[in-house]
């Protein structure tokens, strides 16, 4: 199994990255022997991965990082980089490689203070790997100051440093940054490709795999979670029942509250899993004595950790809400397909009775207005509108049609 096997439906991207990883070997060899670098190399110091949600931007970047750090013995015999089994590949894929640094947005944006140490590290030589690799998972969330810090590092990189930036589209990244990157655009994988991956890699039954892939419309991570997590299936089923409950104003407000509460519960579960562990690890690193008493001068560090965890809980809640809004959009898209009599495959075939009921009760125009109301709710959440207010406005608009 190579590192490229997880890139579902991205054969062209895999081929480009594989060729670049092979050329990267030639660059390392030439630099070590103080020889001129090959002029036709497909390798470069900065890459920009774009594509719709679920296409696998971060997975492609991490697979490329693993291929660059691959130390398989077969490499000396002409084997392809990215074996997937060696220590370099394994640790890069898990996120524990000393020379692969990942940066992701904790809150709504990546702050410059979150990038300072990373930018500083990008100018150092690899500790034990072949390259110093910086992976920015949410490049679209770089604010002005943090983007400028990245720009300076990308403009004049260290010889053995590679930047991997991931964003939904090329327009989400500063022109000055994207002009210095090699751009790779990933496409949404087909439902069949995702279902095949679930059966082959996760051992999911064919019927369950096909249903999860169809429901998520090619979103690999969500399809895997839907196929393997009964709680995720229950939440989705509850969301799909919501359109049938909006018969009065009170029901709209209750439905909105339930959606927000479910998202808050998701954030709470994640916080319970991570916050306590992070706090204990930081206390130990700061030299806390037994019984929890902290050394003097460490209160500010603990406060920074608490602020970061609070931003992460807020983002987790909004990400969970966004999943529910995506399910609602797909539901009304199926309603619209039935109203227009198209032959598009239904994403929510398991809720066909509800779809047909709503299709008969409304018009295509009213369904389009409902889809626009969901999009407006997503935009409001992006602007940091209070989640309950945004979702209440949406459910009332869904009732009005």
């Amino acid at each position: 199994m190579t590192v490229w096997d997880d890139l579902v439906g991205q054969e062209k991207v895999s081929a480009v990255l594989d060729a670049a990883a092979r050329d990267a070997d030639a660059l390392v060899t030439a630099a070590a022997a103080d020889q001129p670098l090959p002029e036709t190399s497909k390798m470069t110091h900065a890459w920009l991965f774009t594509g719709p949600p679920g296409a696998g931007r971060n997975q492609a970047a991490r697979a490329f990082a693993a291929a660059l750090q691959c130390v398989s013995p077969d490499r000396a015999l002409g084997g392809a980089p990215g074996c997937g089994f060696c220590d370099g590949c394994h640790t890069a894929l898990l996120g524990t490689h000393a020379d692969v640094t990942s940066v992701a947005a904790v809150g709504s944006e990546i702050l410059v203070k979150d990038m300072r140490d990373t930018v500083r590290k990008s100018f150092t030589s690899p500790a034990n790997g072949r390259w110093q690799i910086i992976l920015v998972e949410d490049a679209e969330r770089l604010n002005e100051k943090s983007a400028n810090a990245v720009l300076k590092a990308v403009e004049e990189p260290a010889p053995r440093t590679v930047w991997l930036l991931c964003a939904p589209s090329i327009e989400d990244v500063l022109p000055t940054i994207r002009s210095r990157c090699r751009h790779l655009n990933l496409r949404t994988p087909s439902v069949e490709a995702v279902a095949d991956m679930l059966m082959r890699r996760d051992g999911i039954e064919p019927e369950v795999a096909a249903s999860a892939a169809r429901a998520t419309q090619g979103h690999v991570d969500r399809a895997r979670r839907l196929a393997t997590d009964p709680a995720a299936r229950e939440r989705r089923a509850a969301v799909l029942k919501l359109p049938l409950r909006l018969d009065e104003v009170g029901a709209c407000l209750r439905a909105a509250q339930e959606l927000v509460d479910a998202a808050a519960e998701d954030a709470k579960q994640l916080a319970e899993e991570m916050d306590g562990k992070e706090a204990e690890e930081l206390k130990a690193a700061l030299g806390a004595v037994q019984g929890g008493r902290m050394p003097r001068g460490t209160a500010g560090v603990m406060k920074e950790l608490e602020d970061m965890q609070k931003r992460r809980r807020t983002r987790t809640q909004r990400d969970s809400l966004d999943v529910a809004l995506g399910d609602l959009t797909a539901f009304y898209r199926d309603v619209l397909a039935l109203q227009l009599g198209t032959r598009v495959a239904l994403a929510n075939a398991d809720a066909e009775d509800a779809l047909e009921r709503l299709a008969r009760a409304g018009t295509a125009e009213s369904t389009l207005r409902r889809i626009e109301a969901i999009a407006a709710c997503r935009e409001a959440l992006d602007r940091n509108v209070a989640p309950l207010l945004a979702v209440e406005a949406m459910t009332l608009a869904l009732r009005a049609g």
Side-chain angles (χ1 to χ4, degrees), residues 83-99:
C83 66
F85 295 103
C86 71
D87 184 65
C89 287
H90 185 65
T91 54
L93 292 173
L94 287 179
T96 58
H97 196 291
D99 295 316

Side-chain angles (χ1 to χ4, degrees), residues 138-211:
D138 306 291
E140 76 279 8
R141 295 180 184 266
L142 290 166
N143 63 21
E144 182 179 357
K145 292 182 179 179
S146 57
N148 286 334
V150 170
L151 174 60
K152 292 178 181 178
V154 172
E155 280 182 327
E156 300 176 359
R160 297 279 289 279
T161 295
V162 180
W163 283 83
L164 308 178
L165 310 179
C166 303
S169 71
I170 195 170
E171 288 77 16
D172 290 318
V173 181
L174 281 178
T176 48
I177 292 180
R178 68 191 190 218
S179 65
R180 290 163 173 81
C181 299
R182 184 163 297 170
H183 177 220
L184 288 178
N185 186 49
L186 285 74
R187 62 187 181 90
T188 300
S190 66
V191 170
E192 293 75 18
V194 175
D196 178 71
M197 180 273 297
L198 292 174
M199 293 185 288
R200 177 168 43 86
R201 297 296 303 278
D202 299 287
I204 306 299
E205 292 295 323
E207 185 176 345
V208 176
S211 177

Side-chain angles (χ1 to χ4, degrees), residues 47-367:
W47 297 75
L48 174 59
F49 297 82
T50 64
R57 301 186 301 263
N58 295 340
Q59 290 88 338
R62 193 166 291 281
F64 186 41
L68 293 176
Q69 304 289 21
C70 182
V71 292
S72 169
D74 294 340
R75 300 284 295 279
L77 303 175
C83 66
F85 295 103
C86 71
D87 184 65
C89 287
H90 185 65
T91 54
L93 292 173
L94 287 179
T96 58
H97 196 291
D99 295 316
V100 179
T101 302
S102 297
V103 180
V106 175
S108 60
E109 58 185 20
I110 299 177
L111 305 177
V112 67
K113 67 178 182 179
D114 300 326
M115 289 301 304
R116 284 197 188 105
D117 290 340
T118 301
V119 169
R120 192 178 298 115
K121 186 177 181 180
S122 74
F123 290 106
T124 63
S125 298
N128 51 32
R130 302 168 68 83
W131 297 87
Q132 184 74 260
I133 298 174
I134 310 298
L135 169 56
V136 183
E137 297 184 3
D138 306 291
E140 76 279 8
R141 295 180 184 266
L142 290 166
N143 63 21
E144 182 179 357
K145 292 182 179 179
S146 57
N148 286 334
V150 170
L151 174 60
K152 292 178 181 178
V154 172
E155 280 182 327
E156 300 176 359
R160 297 279 289 279
T161 295
V162 180
W163 283 83
L164 308 178
L165 310 179
C166 303
S169 71
I170 195 170
E171 288 77 16
D172 290 318
V173 181
L174 281 178
T176 48
I177 292 180
R178 68 191 190 218
S179 65
R180 290 163 173 81
C181 299
R182 184 163 297 170
H183 177 220
L184 288 178
N185 186 49
L186 285 74
R187 62 187 181 90
T188 300
S190 66
V191 170
E192 293 75 18
V194 175
D196 178 71
M197 180 273 297
L198 292 174
M199 293 185 288
R200 177 168 43 86
R201 297 296 303 278
D202 299 287
I204 306 299
E205 292 295 323
E207 185 176 345
V208 176
S211 177
R214 186 171 57 248
T216 55
Q217 292 293 289
H219 194 300
V220 178
D221 291 337
R222 286 182 56 198
R224 179 179 279 118
R225 184 177 183 187
L226 199 61
T228 59
D229 185 0
R233 293 196 290 273
E234 291 177 5
R235 283 194 294 271
R236 175 177 172 270
V239 170
L240 296 186
K241 292 177 182 177
L242 183 145
L244 300 178
R245 298 169 48 198
L246 306 179
D247 52 354
E248 59 182 16
V249 172
C252 294
L253 300 181
R254 286 193 297 273
Q257 186 68 63
E258 289 171 10
L259 278 180
V260 173
D261 288 346
E265 183 62 27
D266 270 357
K268 180 181 177 182
Q269 289 178 3
L270 178 65
E272 290 174 350
E273 294 172 5
M274 300 181 68
D275 289 3
K277 181 180 178 182
E278 289 174 344
E280 290 303 318
E281 289 176 350
L282 182 57
K283 287 179 181 179
L286 293 174
V289 298
Q290 190 173 5
R293 191 170 60 195
M294 296 293 296
R296 291 182 178 180
T298 60
V301 179
M302 293 301 299
K303 181 64 167 57
E304 285 185 5
L305 176 63
E306 292 170 1
D307 291 342
M308 181 276 289
Q309 291 174 339
K310 182 178 180 181
R311 296 201 310 271
R312 184 172 63 202
R313 284 194 294 271
T314 299
R315 184 186 175 190
T316 301
Q317 179 181 3
R318 298 194 177 191
D319 286 349
S320 181
L321 267 178
D322 193 65
V323 170
L325 297 180
D327 288 336
L328 274 178
T329 301
F331 182 90
Y332 281 110
R333 171 258 192 194
D334 286 347
V335 172
L336 183 63
L338 292 176
Q339 290 171 331
L340 297 177
T342 66
R343 297 184 179 181
V344 176
L346 298 180
N348 301 283
D350 52 341
E352 193 166 354
D353 290 344
L355 294 172
E356 290 180 348
R357 176 178 167 184
L358 286 179
R360 290 193 299 269
T363 64
E365 290 77 10
S366 63
T367 302

